[in-house]
Each structure stands twice: as structure tokens, then as C-alpha cells.
């Protein structure tokens, strides 16, 4: 009512200032009653924006100290670079992530720690939670879905660290899933020399279960990788020895598995990562990053191994272990137990 009366005076004496004083009093009352948006609108209208900012900051600090992290984060974000709002916002995010981890909400906790980048020990906290986060996502996956598990150099830029590995779910049994890398991850010969060898004795099997295993997976992730009885399947027609069965954490598909687990050549074809290409993976002009990839089955000769060709067809006759000029890439396969 006072504002209405002063407004009717059309600037007589200090009536304009009286209007401002009245609006200021109303704004303070609105702040006291928690009607912040209305209060801030009035304060901005009368040129008291600095009070809006300071009030938001004070409220954000109170929310942080009270453990109301979401409310604190919203306010600190709205304040930009005001005072130490960025630092306080990070503190609120970290405290929220820590709380989520203790509540066993691993997906939310992992993403929260990841969003903090280099703040405090957030990178290590995210790394420690990652296996549980991965297990949670894998548990939700169906056959054909893409999941993330482990990390490996893929973009051929070692300065930015390793990239998360994408996997295709091939089978699901209880708490276990069979996965194959979506992309061909590296370029390695099947064996160290073009002399007779089997999956049991080849150098690629040793590399997958030692060098690659330790480079791509943390100790916690390695505990989730199951040791699998890998059958030494006979070649369909060559009569070349397939050796003996093995027990491996990581292996390659056989001819029969590659044909059974993919419904078509199109599903079977694969692209190589930039890193695999830099290591020598063959990808002819005009085919993009499509590549040939190794199978564990023997080929038509004792120093040949079967492969999958550029467009997804299974090459039962295979190529020599060294790969010659058209070197195949490597698509690891493994069983994961996400209930561990």
C-alpha cells in the first residue's frame, strides 16, 4: 500500500527512494520466509544484485555444511567465479560422491568422481569404483549390447591415457557374460615365427594372457575374468593338428564359434582402432578401418591360422602366422562374472 501511495506522488520529494526502501523491506521478508525467487527478483529490480549473490553464497555454504549437497551444488553453480564458489562446488560434488559410494550407489558415485577430473583424489576414487560400476552396467546388458570393461590405448595418442574398451555381449549365463571387443585392439602375429604351432603353443595366446591382461585390466577387473576351458577344435577339412585344450582367461574365437555367435558376415566384420592400425593392421584403401582378425583355429597348414576377412567371411584356409603384408588384428574374447 505504501508503494502504491508513493507512486501516486510522481517523484515528489524522496518518494522514489521510499518506493525502493519498501521493496527492499519486502525482499528481506521474502528471504526470511524462504521465497527466494520472488526476493531475488525484487532485489535485482532495485539494484541490489550484489545482495542476491551474497545471499546465494551464504545459503550454499549452509547447505554444504548441512550435508544437503544437491542444493549446495545448484547454488554454487549459479554463482560462477564468485569468491571461492568453484572450489566449494567441487567440495560439494566430492562429498556427494563419497556419500554415494558409502551408500553403494556405484554408478552415481563413479560418474560424480569422474566429473571432478583432477580435484583431490577423485581420479583414484573413480578408478577404485570402476569395476563395480562396470559390473553393474554389464548385469543390465542383453546379448548384442555394448558394455565397457577395462581400458587400452586406442586413439594412438598416449598423452591422454588409455581409453575404455567397448565389448559386444555374445552370451549371457546366470551372472556370466561372454564378450568380444567391439574393435580390433592391436596387431600381433599369431606366432613368433612361421613354424608349426597350435593355439596351445602360439605366442599370441601368451601375449593375451600376460601382457594384454595386465595392461588392460586392474587387479579387481582381473578377478572378474573367468578362467575358461578353451577347446582345441579340429579344422573342418585340413587335418592340421589343433593341439590340446587350454585354460585361459582371454582367448580368440574358433571357426565354429565365429560362425555360431554372429548371425551374418555383416555382424562379424570389424574395424581396427587407430592404435591397432599404427601397429601394422592391414586395412586396404576404400575399406575405411575394416580389418582382418585372427581366430584361434588352425588353417590349411601347420603354420597357418584361420581369420575373419574384411567383410566378415570366415577364412578357413587362413594365412601364415606372421600375417605377411596383410596383417590381421586381435579381438580378445573372455567370460566375465559380474557377481564377483
Amino acid at each position: 500500500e505504501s508503494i502504491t501511495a508513493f507512486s501516486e506522488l510522481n517523484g515528489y520529494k524522496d518518494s522514489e527512494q521510499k518506493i525502493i526502501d519498501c521493496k527492499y523491506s519486502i525482499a528481506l521478508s521474502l528471504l526470511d520466509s524462504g521465497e527466494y525467487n520472488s526476493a531475488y527478483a525484487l532485489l535485482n529490480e532495485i539494484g541490489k544484485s550484489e545482495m542476491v549473490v551474497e545471499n546465494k553464497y551464504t545459503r550454499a555454504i549452509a547447505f554444504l555444511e548441512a550435508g544437503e549437497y544437491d542444493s549446495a551444488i545448484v547454488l554454487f553453480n549459479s554463482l560462477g567465479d564468485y569468491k571461492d564458489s568453484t572450489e566449494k562446488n567441487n567440495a560439494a560434488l566430492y562429498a556427494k560422491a563419497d556419500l554415494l559410494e558409502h551408500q553403494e550407489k556405484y554408478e552415481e558415485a563413479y560418474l560424480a568422481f569422474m566429473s571432478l577430473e583432477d580435484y583431490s583424489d577423485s581420479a583414484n576414487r573413480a578408478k577404485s569404483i570402476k569395476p563395480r560400476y562396470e559390473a553393474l552396467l554389464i548385469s543390465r546388458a542383453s546379448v548384442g549390447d555394448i558394455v565397457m570393461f577395462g581400458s587400452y590405448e586406442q586413439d594412438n595418442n598416449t598423452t591422454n591415457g588409455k581409453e575404455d574398451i567397448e565389448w559386444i555381449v555374445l552370451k549371457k549365463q546366470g551372472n556370466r557374460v561372454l564378450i568380444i571387443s567391439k574393435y580390433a585392439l592391436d596387431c600381433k602375429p599369431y606366432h613368433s615365427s612361421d613354424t608349426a604351432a597350435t593355439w596351445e603353443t602360439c605366442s599370441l595366446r601368451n601375449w593375451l594372457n600376460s601382457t594384454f591382461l595386465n595392461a588392460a585390466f586392474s587387479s579387481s577387473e582381473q578377478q572378474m575374468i573367468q578362467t575358461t576351458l578353451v577347446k582345441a577344435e579340429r579344422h573342418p577339412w585340413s587335418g592340421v593338428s589343433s593341439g590340446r585344450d587350454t585354460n585361459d582367461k582371454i582367448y580368440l574365437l574358433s571357426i565354429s564359434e565365429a560362425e555360431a555367435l554372429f548371425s551374418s558376415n555383416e555382424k562379424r566384420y570389424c574395424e581396427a582402432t587407430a592404435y591397432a592400425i599404427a601397429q601394422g593392421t592391414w586395412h586396404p584403401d576404400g575399406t575405411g578401418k575394416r580389418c582382418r582378425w585372427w581366430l584361434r583355429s588352425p588353417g590349411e597348414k601347420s603354420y597357418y591360422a584361420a581369420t575373419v576377412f574384411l567383410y566378415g567371411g570366415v577364412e578357413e584356409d587362413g594365412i601364415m602366422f606372421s600375417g605377411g603384408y596383410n596383417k590381421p588384428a586381435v579381438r580378445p574374447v573372455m567370460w566375465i562374472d559380474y557377481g564377483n
Side-chain angles (χ1 to χ4, degrees):
E1 291 174 355
S2 296
I3 290 171
T4 300
F6 283 125
S7 297
E8 292 174 353
L9 292 173
N10 295 318
Y12 177 74
K13 290 190 175 181
D14 61 349
S15 56
E16 296 293 339
Q17 183 59 47
K18 294 292 187 183
I19 292 171
I20 291 173
D21 294 343
C22 288
K23 289 183 177 181
Y24 182 72
S25 296
I26 293 171
L28 293 179
S29 179
L30 290 169
L31 285 174
D32 288 341
S33 62
E35 298 180 54
Y36 301 110
N37 289 337
S38 297
Y40 293 157
L42 270 179
L43 289 169
N44 279 320
E45 181 184 329
I46 62 176
K48 295 285 186 179
S49 56
E50 74 285 351
M51 184 176 175
V52 173
V53 174
E54 183 58 31
N55 184 269
K56 282 187 177 182
Y57 180 82
T58 302
R59 288 175 58 215
I61 294 294
F63 282 134
L64 175 59
E65 292 174 348
E68 297 180 41
Y69 303 122
D70 286 332
S71 297
I73 290 165
V74 169
L75 286 177
F76 282 129
N77 274 329
S78 72
L79 289 168
D81 295 330
Y82 182 72
K83 290 187 175 179
D84 59 350
S85 294
T86 299
E87 175 68 19
K88 287 291 193 293
N89 186 54
N90 286 337
L93 277 168
Y94 186 92
K96 177 184 177 180
D98 182 69
L99 177 62
L100 289 167
E101 181 181 358
H102 283 90
Q103 293 174 338
E104 298 185 355
K105 297 179 180 179
Y106 297 117
E107 181 177 4
E108 296 171 69
Y110 175 78
L111 295 175
F113 279 126
M114 285 294 291
S115 71
L116 284 164
E117 298 181 347
D118 296 327
Y119 179 78
S120 187
D121 63 343
S122 55
N124 287 333
R125 294 290 297 274
K127 186 177 180 179
S128 69
I129 299 171
K130 188 181 179 187
R132 289 170 174 165
Y133 166 70
E134 292 170 328
L136 182 62
L137 298 187
I138 291 170
S139 71
R140 299 173 184 165
S142 301
V143 172
D145 286 350
I146 304 297
V147 297
M148 311 292 271
F149 188 72
S151 57
Y152 197 67
E153 182 57 45
Q154 295 174 69
D155 65 0
N156 202 37
N157 178 6
T158 57
T159 63
N160 62 8
K162 297 181 287 188
E163 288 72 42
D164 289 342
I165 306 173
E166 295 181 66
W167 304 83
I168 301 171
V169 177
L170 296 176
K171 283 184 180 180
K172 193 166 188 178
Q173 296 177 352
N175 287 341
R176 303 193 317 141
V177 291
L178 177 66
I179 57 177
I180 185 170
S181 64
K182 179 180 178 181
Y183 301 104
L185 297 176
D186 211 327
C187 180
K188 294 289 177 183
Y190 187 88
H191 190 49
S192 55
S193 64
D194 288 325
T195 56
T198 63
W199 170 250
E200 178 192 10
T201 60
C202 74
S203 59
L204 182 52
R205 173 178 174 243
N206 180 65
W207 178 82
L208 283 168
N209 286 278
S210 56
T211 304
F212 177 76
L213 177 69
N214 292 318
F217 308 106
S218 67
S219 57
S220 296
E221 289 167 334
Q222 289 184 33
Q223 291 175 16
M224 295 169 62
I225 304 173
Q226 300 297 286
T227 299
T228 301
L229 175 63
V230 180
K231 303 295 290 183
E233 297 183 10
R234 295 181 62 82
H235 189 274
W237 47 264
S238 72
V240 172
S241 172
S242 57
R244 297 180 298 182
D245 295 348
T246 58
N247 291 288
D248 301 316
K249 280 186 172 290
I250 306 176
Y251 59 103
L252 304 178
L253 294 180
S254 66
I255 289 173
S256 64
E257 289 167 345
E259 292 175 335
L261 292 170
F262 293 95
S263 58
S264 65
N265 286 357
E266 183 181 359
K267 295 287 187 181
R268 226 173 351 251
Y269 93 73
C270 180
E271 293 184 352
T273 64
Y275 178 77
I277 290 171
Q279 299 308 301
T281 297
W282 178 59
H283 64 115
D285 292 342
T287 61
K289 294 182 179 179
R290 292 190 183 196
C291 65
R292 173 184 256 150
W293 48 282
W294 289 115
L295 299 175
R296 73 173 186 272
S297 299
E300 63 178 347
K301 299 178 181 180
S302 61
Y303 54 94
Y304 276 37
T307 66
V308 172
F309 196 56
L310 298 176
Y311 294 96
V314 175
E315 293 183 303
E316 295 179 350
D317 49 350
I319 62 172
M320 66 179 66
F321 292 159
S322 63
Y325 71 89
N326 50 8
K327 292 179 172 59
V330 182
R331 290 184 83 181
V333 178
M334 62 185 128
W335 279 95
I336 299 292
D337 187 338
Y338 57 80
N340 279 357

